[in-house]
Amino acid sequence: MWRNLKSIGMMIPTDSFYNKFSCFYPLVDVFLKPQKQVLFNEVNTLPAGNLLEIGVGNGAHLPLYKKHYITGIDTSSEMLKIAGKQNHKHVRLLQMDGEALQFQDGQFDYVVLSHVIAVVDNPERLFEQVYRVLKPTGRVFILNHFTPNNWLKHLDRAFGLFSKIVHFKSVFYIHDIATIRSFELLKEVHFGPAAYFKLLIYQKQ
Ligand SMILES: C[S@@+](CC[C@H](N)C(=O)[O-])C[C@H]1O[C@@H](n2cnc3c(N)ncnc32)[C@H](O)[C@@H]1O
């Protein structure tokens, strides 16, 4: 089922950006593939459950889910159109805003946020929603860049203005999100020598 919730309001700039960018996204994905493999190894070791992926994009990693019932949401209709060309059992795709989830409380066992938390307008609101829709002791998997406390922080700051144009926040700290304190950190995996990218696994408490 496809629901065009945004069509009743105005198209936000991030939607337009990803609608235009959708055909080029596979180029970015090549670079992100090794980290995603680690993410999916973690996700696939867990017992089968209801999994929500927010910002599912072009669905490039839908085939990497080996179990679970997958709900993939995104605000970009073009990204979803590409994702929808794949035919997977146990996958439903919906056009929906991660900051205003149209799901009941406590519906999901797992939430995956792969390179989306620094893209959404309001990460705090996103995490409030994630907390709400997760079952008690549900888990959230976050794959993203995080501004480190090393030389890379200067690059992040220098890149700040340009990053707004391409719709993400280059300077990004997980501790700026107050709702994250309602979760317990279970695991942290670093990628690359400067640990710029991380996989963080949290459990709702
Ligand atoms: C950088 S891409 C990441 C795509 C995919 N998760 C991946 O790891 O390759 C970010 C995606 O998040 C979507 N997005 C941005 N804001 C969103 C929001 N508020 N709710 C849901 N999806 C959103 C964009 O349309 C885009 O498809």
Side-chain angles (χ1 to χ4, degrees):
M1 182 175 66
W2 288 59
R3 293 167 66 186
N4 193 349
L5 296 170
K6 278 278 162 73
S7 66
I8 52 172
M10 272 173 51
M11 193 134 183
I12 62 165
T14 306
D15 296 348
S16 326
F17 175 78
Y18 276 99
N19 280 345
K20 292 189 185 100
F21 186 57
S22 58
C23 51
F24 300 107
Y25 195 75
L27 299 174
V28 179
D29 220 29
V30 171
F31 162 70
L32 300 174
K33 227 169 194 156
Q35 319 171 357
K36 289 186 177 179
Q37 199 51 60
V38 178
L39 162 68
F40 288 101
N41 287 347
E42 292 285 344
V43 167
N44 290 327
T45 57
L46 292 165
N50 258 338
L51 184 148
L52 171 66
E53 179 167 349
I54 299 177
V56 67
N58 64 7
H61 34 79
L62 289 176
L64 300 175
Y65 289 111
K66 299 300 175 205
K67 44 173 105 158
H68 310 305
Y69 181 84
I70 313 295
T71 301
I73 67 150
D74 205 288
T75 43
S76 159
S77 55
E78 290 304 315
M79 286 293 227
L80 284 171
K81 213 179 270 178
I82 298 169
K85 287 183 182 153
Q86 302 179 38
N87 196 9
H88 297 288
K89 259 191 189 172
H90 311 305
V91 174
R92 66 172 169 161
L93 298 171
L94 306 168
Q95 189 172 16
M96 196 185 286
D97 184 352
E99 294 178 36
L101 293 175
Q102 310 291 306
F103 302 116
Q104 289 173 359
D105 298 357
Q107 217 180 303
F108 293 96
D109 300 283
Y110 315 113
V111 172
V112 169
L113 303 170
S114 170
H115 296 288
V116 70
I117 54 171
V119 172
V120 297
D121 293 341
N122 187 334
E124 190 70 59
R125 214 156 39 210
L126 178 85
F127 272 86
E128 285 165 6
Q129 289 292 302
V130 168
Y131 187 84
R132 183 181 68 73
V133 300
L134 270 174
K135 292 180 183 172
T137 76
R139 290 184 188 192
V140 56
F141 296 79
I142 306 165
L143 188 60
N144 217 75
H145 76 272
F146 297 95
T147 301
N149 199 16
N150 59 33
W151 58 273
L152 272 172
K153 70 180 171 206
H154 304 296
L155 267 189
D156 262 359
R157 282 176 199 156
F159 197 59
L161 202 62
F162 176 71
S163 74
K164 275 191 192 143
I165 298 168
V166 288
H167 290 271
F168 80 97
K169 300 162 188 64
S170 61
V171 178
F172 193 85
Y173 298 100
I174 195 75
H175 57 74
D176 281 348
I177 300 168
T179 314
I180 208 70
R181 288 173 220 131
S182 311
F183 293 85
E184 180 193 358
L185 181 63
L186 298 181
K187 191 166 182 173
E188 181 166 340
V189 184
H190 294 185
F191 301 101
Y196 186 64
F197 292 96
K198 288 181 192 167
L199 168 65
L200 304 177
I201 306 175
Y202 286 91
Q203 184 159 43
K204 180 173 170 174
Q205 37 179 7

